Structure formats: structure tokens, C-alpha cells
């Protein structure tokens, strides 16, 4: 069946012929490039903070605490960014559904870049006392608000410009997660190696300051992108509807909360897993005796694995359906974490690489179709708000608090990781339950 033969209508009455056909191949390619590069920058900034929380901030911004308490305070600051993300999802989602996707994406990348660059300029506790951690929390909150709008806009622009294979198209934006982890760990590792003993003095600032350059490049790409054709058509219909009351996307989403709750549950397991193997594992690896550089490099390799396999499983979700891929992926993800810890506890660097890479591979399976699936659950006039809010609430619960929960469980158990594996297993179980209740949307139109 060709695109012009698709006869179904979406939940908000979008016409039968998919408006995404109006986008030229060249524009679709630029949209995909913009979504990928912009997402890489956003996740670079966001995960860079997580890596620094595990390796730097506990010593420079919370030096009055014990080692364990400083780590917990550092991860609590990390969690603050996740708490702010649903707020960002509501703000960017509202205007993204009312005004347009493109403008919100431009604003989000600027806001993230500015806040991350300022982190690299912050004085430490030794210089200004309690103001240092307070300013660090403020920058993290701004990061969170910005990230709350980036994911939804990037995913929706990719899938709304694409006439077919929405899973594969949206996965380009999803790949930004792995690209961001890859870039953040890579730059952090290079800065650590290049500055040596000076790293804790000033070398840690370099990765944050590099964000300013990345934002300029991303902004140039993003400004050349056209608005989503599906959104433009939906907005034109709303403007032509005589006497129609102005809609508030958030209220429309909350009136029928089923898909919002399913969105949260679908992403919960993936977020918790990525926060553990992509952020917290650095702290754990150093604590059990691995050199910091080896742990960072292992996370680097795992991110590369996720980056490669993300489009593969996204494509398979277009062929086999979202439910099959996400359901199988969630089960495998839960099983991979006790294996990862067993390999790391053996003390071999090679086993550590294998364990973290296994966690990343299973995460790629469950995570890859989620961008398309969440977007497909909502009609065009609610899509930015609904998908963003579900994703960001899951990020707050599963991603924001996961490092803090893991650090607490590790301290309470005296170094045992069984509780952490059970925690990941529980979040994956919630995802599996949601898979059974969510509609299969891979064959529906937008």
C-alpha cells in the first residue's frame, strides 16, 4: 500500500492522506539531522551533569559531608533536574501543540546550552560556601525544564515529517540519548586524561564549556527546519472551526488519562536502567576498585552499542509491532542487571566492559520503539503535551531517583547489589504490564 492509499483517520480527524508527504526528502533529512544532533546536545548536557555528580561534584560542592553523604547529596542534585522535567514537558508541550514544534525546539536547545555552560563557570564551595551548591541546583533545574521539551519536539518532528516507518524515523531522535552518553563520557574521559592532577581543579570545567560550541552548531541546523506539516494542517483546521473554544492541551490529556498513565509505565523501566548503567555505575565501579578511566570507557563502549542497535530494533518495531519489541526488551533488560553486577564483582576489567555493554544492549531493545509509540497514543493537538509529559514523569520517577535509590540500597546492604537488581526488575515489570494494556499503533495513521 502506498502512502496515498492510506484511508484511516487519526483521533483528531486528520485527513486520510498523510500530510507528511508534503515534506521533501531533503527537508526530511534535515529534520532527522536536526533531531539527532539537537538530542545529542541535550543529552550530552544532561548526562554530563550525571557523570560529574558521580566523580566531581560530591567533592567540590559538598565537601563538608562524608564520602557517602556527599555522594547522596550530589545525586539528589542530579535528581532535581529530573523533577523539573515534567514542568518543562507541560510548558514546551503546551506551546508546541498551540504554536508549533520548531520554535520550542529552538528555545530548548538555547536554554540547555546556557545553563550547562554556566555550570562550567561556577565557583566551588571553597570559594563561595553554601552558594555554590545552591547555584548548582539552580542550573540543574534549568537543565531539567529545557530537557522536558527537547525529547518530545525532536521525536514528533521526526515522525510527523516521515510518511512511513515512524519507529525508524523517531529512533533518530532517540539515538540522541546514546549519542549524548557517548559524547559526555568521551569528553569527560579526555578531559580527565589531558589535565591529570589538575582535573579536579579546573579540568572538569572543560566538558561543560564545550557545550557553548555545540549549541551554536545545533542552533544553525535547527533554524533551517520547516514546521511539522501534520501540525500545520491540524492548526489550520482548528482556526477554520467556527465558534470552537480555545483548547488547553494539558486539560485534554488529563480528561482521558489512560494513555498518559500507559506512557509513564511504558518508559519507566528504560529510564531506570539507563540511569543505572549510564550514570550511577561510574560511582559503583570506582567504589569497587576499577580505575575511573576504565569505568568511563566501559560506559562509552556501551553507549556506542546502544547507538548502533537503536535503529535496528526501531525498524523491527515497524515490522513486528511496538508491543512485541518493548515487551521482550523489558524482560531481557530485567535479567541483564544481575548478570552485569556479577561480572563486575569478579574484578576483571574485561568482564566489567561485557556487563555494562549487555545492559546497554537490552536497553536499546526496549527503548527503541518508545518515541514512536508514545507519540502515536495521542492525537496531533495533544501529542507534544501528552508524549512529553508521560516521558518526563517516567524520567523523574525512574531516571531521576534511580542513582539516589541505588546509592541508598548499596549503603544499606553493605555493598550488596541484589536490591538494585530487584529495583530494576520491578520497574521493568511495570513496563511489561503496560505493554499488555497499550494499543498496538504501528499500523495506524497520525
Amino acid at each position: 500500500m502506498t502512502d496515498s492509499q492510506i484511508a484511516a483517520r487519526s483521533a483528531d480527524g486528520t485527513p486520510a492522506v498523510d500530510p507528511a508527504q508534503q515534506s521533501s526528502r531533503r527537508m526530511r533529512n534535515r529534520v532527522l539531522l536536526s533531531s539527532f544532533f539537537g538530542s545529542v546536545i541535550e543529552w550530552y548536557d544532561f548526562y554530563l551533569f550525571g557523570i560529574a555528580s558521580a566523580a566531581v561534584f560530591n567533592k567540590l560542592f559538598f565537601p563538608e559531608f562524608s564520602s557517602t553523604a556527599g555522594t547522596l547529596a550530589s545525586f539528589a542534585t542530579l535528581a532535581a533536574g529530573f523533577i523539573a522535567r515534567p514542568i518543562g514537558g507541560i510548558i514546551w508541550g503546551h506551546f508546541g501543540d498551540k504554536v508549533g514544534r520548531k520554535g520550542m525546539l529552538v528555545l530548548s536547545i538555547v536554554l540547555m546550552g546556557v545553563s550547562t555552560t554556566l555550570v562550567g563557570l561556577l565557583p566551588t564551595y571553597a570559594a563561595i560556601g553554601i552558594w555554590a551548591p545552591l547555584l548548582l541546583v539552580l542550573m540543574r533545574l534549568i537543565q531539567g525544564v529545557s530537557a522536558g521539551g527537547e525529547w518530545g519536539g525532536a521525536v514528533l518532528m521526526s515522525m510527523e515529517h516521515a510518511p512511513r516507518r515512524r519507529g525508524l524515523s523517531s529512533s533518530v531522535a532517540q539515538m540522541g540519548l546514546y549519542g549524548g552518553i557517548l559524547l559526555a563520557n568521551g569528553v569527560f574521559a579526555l578531559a580527565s586524561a589531558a589535565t591529570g592532577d589538575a582535573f579536579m581543579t579546573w579540568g572538569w570545567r572543560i566538558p561543560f564549556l564545550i557545550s557553548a560550541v555545540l549549541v551554536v552548531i545545533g542552533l544553525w541546523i535547527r533554524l533551517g527546519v520547516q514546521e511539522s506539516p501534520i501540525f500545520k494542517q491540524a492548526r489550520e483546521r482548528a482556526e477554520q472551526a467556527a465558534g470552537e473554544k480555545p483548547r488547553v492541551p494539558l486539560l485534554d490529556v488529563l480528561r482521558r488519562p489512560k494513555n498518559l498513565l500507559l506512557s509513564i509505565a511504558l518508559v519507566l523501566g528504560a529510564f531506570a536502567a539507563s540511569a543505572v548503567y549510564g550514570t550511577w555505575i561510574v560511582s559503583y565501579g570506582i567504589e569497587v576498585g576499577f580505575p575511573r578511566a576504565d569505568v568511563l570507557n566501559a560506559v562509552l563502549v556501551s553507549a556506542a552499542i546502544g547507538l548502533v542497535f537503536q535503529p535496528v530494533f526501531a525498524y523491527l518495531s515497524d515490522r513486528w509491532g511496538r508491543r512485541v519489541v518493548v515487551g521482550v526488551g523489558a524482560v531481557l533488560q530485567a535479567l541483564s542487571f544481575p548478570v552485569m553486577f556479577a561480572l563486575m564483582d569478579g574484578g576483571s576489567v574485561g568482564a566489567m566492559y561485557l556487563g555494562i555493554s549487555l545492559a546497554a544492549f537490552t536497553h536499546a531493545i526496549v527503548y527503541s520503539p518508545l518515541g514512536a509509540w508514545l507519540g502515536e497514543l495521542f492525537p496531533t493537538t495533544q501529542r507534544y503535551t501528552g508524549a512529553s509529559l508521560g516521558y518526563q514523569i517516567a524520567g523523574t520517577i525512574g531516571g531521576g531517583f534511580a542513582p539516589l535509590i541505588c546509592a541508598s540500597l548499596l549503603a544499606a546492604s553493605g555493598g550488596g547489589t541484589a536490591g538494585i537488581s530487584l529495583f530494576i526488575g520491578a520497574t521493568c515489570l511495570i513496563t511489561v504490564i503496560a505493554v499488555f494494556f497499550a494499543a498496538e499503533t504501528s499500523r495506524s495513521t497520525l
Side-chain angles (χ1 to χ4, degrees):
M1 178 180 290
T2 65
D3 298 327
S4 61
Q5 293 173 314
I6 296 175
R9 285 177 175 265
S10 70
D12 62 344
T14 300
V17 177
D18 192 342
Q21 295 178 77
Q22 300 169 11
S23 298
S24 66
R25 181 183 298 273
R26 181 178 180 182
M27 180 50 59
R28 289 199 296 269
N29 289 339
R30 180 152 189 145
V31 167
L32 294 178
L33 176 62
S34 166
S35 296
F36 174 72
F37 196 78
S39 295
V40 167
I41 295 171
E42 291 277 352
W43 288 115
Y44 166 81
D45 291 350
F46 209 73
Y47 272 94
L48 185 63
F49 198 104
I51 299 167
S53 294
V56 174
F57 291 159
N58 56 336
K59 299 178 180 66
L60 297 181
F61 288 86
F62 304 97
E64 298 298 311
F65 296 171
S66 67
S67 177
T68 300
T71 299
L72 290 173
S74 185
F75 282 135
T77 304
L78 175 68
F82 282 92
I83 294 172
R85 284 170 60 164
I87 299 173
I90 293 172
I91 296 172
W92 302 121
H94 175 83
F95 290 103
D97 282 329
K98 298 287 287 185
V99 180
R101 315 327 195 183
K102 175 183 173 180
M104 297 306 102
L105 285 173
V106 170
L107 287 175
S108 70
I109 197 173
V110 171
L111 191 62
M112 177 65 89
V114 170
S115 59
T116 302
T117 303
L118 288 177
V119 170
L121 298 173
L122 285 181
T124 63
Y125 188 94
I128 60 172
I130 192 63
W131 286 104
L134 291 178
L135 288 172
L136 187 67
V137 171
L138 177 61
M139 293 302 104
R140 183 58 175 175
L141 289 173
I142 295 174
Q143 277 192 333
V145 171
S146 172
E150 167 63 28
W151 176 86
V155 166
L156 298 189
M157 284 288 277
S158 297
M159 62 189 291
E160 289 181 349
H161 274 271
R164 295 180 298 170
R165 295 178 181 170
R166 294 190 299 267
L168 182 59
S169 297
S170 66
S171 75
V172 174
Q174 296 274 85
M175 288 165 66
L177 169 68
Y178 301 104
I181 294 175
L182 191 67
L183 188 61
N185 280 274
V187 172
F188 205 84
L190 287 174
S192 178
T195 56
D197 293 338
F199 178 74
M200 293 297 292
T201 305
W202 58 267
W204 67 270
R205 299 180 183 275
I206 295 174
F208 289 93
L209 298 177
I210 287 175
S211 177
V213 179
L214 297 176
V215 166
V216 171
I217 299 172
L219 195 59
W220 173 75
I221 298 173
R222 190 155 278 181
L223 287 172
V225 168
Q226 294 177 356
E227 183 57 85
S228 157
I230 287 178
F231 170 78
K232 287 194 295 184
Q233 190 171 58
R235 183 173 59 183
E236 289 169 1
R237 275 195 315 103
E239 292 172 350
Q240 293 169 1
E244 184 175 308
K245 293 178 62 177
R247 310 290 293 186
V248 179
L250 177 61
L251 295 182
D252 289 338
V253 170
L254 295 178
R255 284 190 187 101
R256 294 181 176 87
K258 176 184 175 182
N259 285 337
L260 175 62
L261 294 174
L262 286 174
S263 298
I264 296 169
L266 286 171
V267 192
L268 188 65
F271 253 120
S274 66
V276 174
Y277 85 80
T279 298
W280 176 81
I281 206 67
V282 176
S283 174
Y284 177 75
I286 294 173
E287 186 170 330
V288 297
F290 291 106
R292 180 177 60 198
D294 285 338
V295 183
L296 289 172
N297 287 335
V299 175
L300 201 65
V301 171
S302 71
I305 290 172
L307 186 66
V308 170
F309 284 101
Q310 169 78 20
V312 174
F313 292 109
Y315 171 75
L316 291 177
S317 79
D318 286 331
R319 296 288 302 273
W320 299 343
R322 317 291 186 223
R323 300 179 72 188
V324 172
V325 177
V326 174
V328 171
V331 172
L332 294 177
Q333 184 174 253
L335 297 174
S336 70
F337 272 77
V339 177
M340 178 186 72
F341 287 124
L343 289 170
M344 292 185 70
D345 291 343
S348 165
V349 172
M352 176 192 66
Y353 272 76
L354 180 60
I356 298 176
S357 296
L358 177 63
F361 175 76
T362 57
H363 176 261
I365 302 174
V366 66
Y367 184 68
S368 57
L370 291 175
W373 203 356
L374 266 60
E376 291 162 350
L377 288 175
F378 298 93
T380 302
T381 53
Q382 305 169 24
R383 186 169 294 134
Y384 204 144
T385 300
S388 293
L389 189 57
Y391 185 86
Q392 302 306 343
I393 291 176
T396 300
I397 300 171
F401 290 102
L404 189 61
I405 291 171
C406 290
S408 300
L409 289 172
L410 192 70
S413 66
T417 57
I420 298 171
S421 295
L422 288 174
F423 164 66
I424 295 296
T427 62
C428 290
L429 177 61
I430 292 172
T431 293
V432 170
I433 293 172
V435 167
F436 281 100
F437 288 96
E440 177 56 67
T441 56
S442 59
R443 299 291 185 269
S444 65
T445 63
L446 292 179

